[in-house]
Structures are given as structure tokens and as C-alpha cells.
Amino acid sequence: MNYWLFQLINQLADRYDWIDDIMEFCAQDIVFAMIAILGILWFTGKKQNQKAVFFAAVTACAAMLIGSLVISPAVQHPRPFATHQVHQLVAHAADYSFPSDHAMLAFSIAFSVLLVKRRIGMLLLVLAVVTGFSRVYVGVHYPADIAGAAVLSAVAAFAVHLLRDRLDPIPERLIRIYGKARRLAVRR
């Protein structure tokens, strides 16, 4: 079923150049837009937004470490283009594909923010879904790679959210340091 879904999505590639260009952008660069949104949240200067950014970063780091260092080496699932004839639109190393790093980053940010800021979290979740879909479209991931990344990211976001009270002194201190540095920079 995983391969069947992959084929269903990937067969759409290489038909219209302009759609392929959009999908290539989505597969590779939407995560940078998501990080920019986190940057905007941070620079609002609102403590709630800054804490949301901190916890999104912690969630992403946790998911990426578990996914890349534990799950991927244990599962050792090859990429679609390594074992099948596919429409591969972006270059990629033939390393393990499960779970998708791009999707883990995108879904980690989205789920973490969604738990505290619904509107922005929903926007980020839509961007994460588009990222995941486009990674399959361009031929570098199977749908299960994306689903696995989404599940791991959701678990990591929920775990970090449950630990917020214990971790709270860290962002509090970072926010204070940032505030002092900002005030010093404005004075000069």
C-alpha cells in the first residue's frame, strides 16, 4: 500500500513544469518559511510567543534526534529512487528515508505551536502537510516516511508540552538575556 500510494502521487510529477517547480520549492524550502514565521514570533517581543518558539525548537530537536539517530538506523528503509523507477525531481543522497527529516522538522514546529497558538499553528500544520506531500511528489520519500515523521513529531510535541512547567526556567532565562541584549543594543 505504501508503494501504491507513492506511485499514485509521484506519477503526477514530470507532467507540467510549473507544477513541478512549485512542488520542488515546497519539498525543499517551505521549512525555511516556517522557521521565518518562528523568527517573527520571537521578535514580537511577547513572552508567550517567545516561549512558543523555544518549545518548537526543543520539540524539533527531540524529534530529529530520535528519528535520525535511533529510528532511521534501526529501520534502514531505502528511498524510493534507490529501489524503484521514479520521477525524481530533486537530488538527494540515497540514505535511509524513514522517517523524513524535512517532514519531522515541519510537523514538529507545527504541532508544537498548535498546542499554544491555534491560528498560527493551523497555518504551520498546513505548510507541514504540503511539505510532506511534496516530498512524495518529488520522489524522495514514501507516504509512510511522512506519516512516521508526523506521528513522531506529534508525540515529541505532546511530551515537550507536558514538560513545559519543568522546562520553563530555561526560556524564561533566555528571554531575559535577549531582553537585556536588546535594550543594550538600542542604547548604543
Side-chain angles (χ1 to χ4, degrees):
M1 184 165 170
N2 192 29
Y3 181 60
W4 177 79
L5 278 173
F6 170 81
Q7 285 183 308
L8 189 68
I9 296 167
N10 184 247
Q11 74 178 346
L12 302 171
D14 270 345
R15 291 186 182 186
Y16 301 100
D17 191 47
W18 66 276
I19 294 176
D20 291 348
D21 291 342
I22 291 170
M23 287 299 176
E24 289 170 23
F25 171 81
C26 293
Q28 299 177 102
D29 299 323
I30 281 184
V31 293
F32 297 113
M34 295 175 77
I35 291 168
I37 291 170
L38 290 181
I40 292 167
L41 279 175
W42 179 268
F43 289 114
T44 63
K46 295 179 182 175
K47 189 182 279 193
Q48 180 189 17
N49 291 348
Q50 291 172 325
K51 285 184 179 184
V53 171
F54 173 81
F55 288 115
V58 170
T59 299
C61 288
M64 297 289 286
L65 286 171
I66 293 166
S68 299
L69 298 178
V70 178
I71 296 173
S72 189
V75 174
Q76 297 184 0
H77 195 263
R79 291 196 181 268
F81 60 82
T83 55
H84 303 287
Q85 190 71 9
V86 305
H87 299 286
Q88 185 181 351
L89 302 182
V90 297
H92 202 291
D95 55 356
Y96 302 132
S97 69
F98 184 87
S100 165
D101 290 342
H102 271 81
M104 268 190 298
L105 178 59
F107 281 106
S108 292
I109 291 169
F111 287 136
S112 182
V113 173
L114 184 62
L115 289 169
V116 292
K117 301 193 75 54
R118 294 273 186 228
R119 261 191 174 156
I120 294 171
M122 287 303 295
L123 168 66
L124 292 169
L125 186 57
V126 167
L127 293 176
V129 168
V130 170
T131 298
F133 178 84
S134 63
R135 299 294 289 174
V136 177
Y137 181 97
V138 301
V140 296
H141 281 290
Y142 290 103
D145 301 338
I146 307 307
V151 169
L152 176 59
S153 298
V155 169
F158 189 66
V160 169
H161 188 72
L162 290 176
L163 295 170
R164 285 177 82 93
D165 290 340
R166 289 188 177 166
L167 297 172
D168 203 46
I170 300 169
E172 285 284 344
R173 184 168 179 90
L174 290 173
I175 292 166
R176 275 197 307 274
I177 291 169
Y178 167 75
K180 287 179 185 177
R182 187 173 176 192
R183 284 189 294 278
L184 282 173
V186 169
R187 287 183 193 159
R188 291 182 179 194

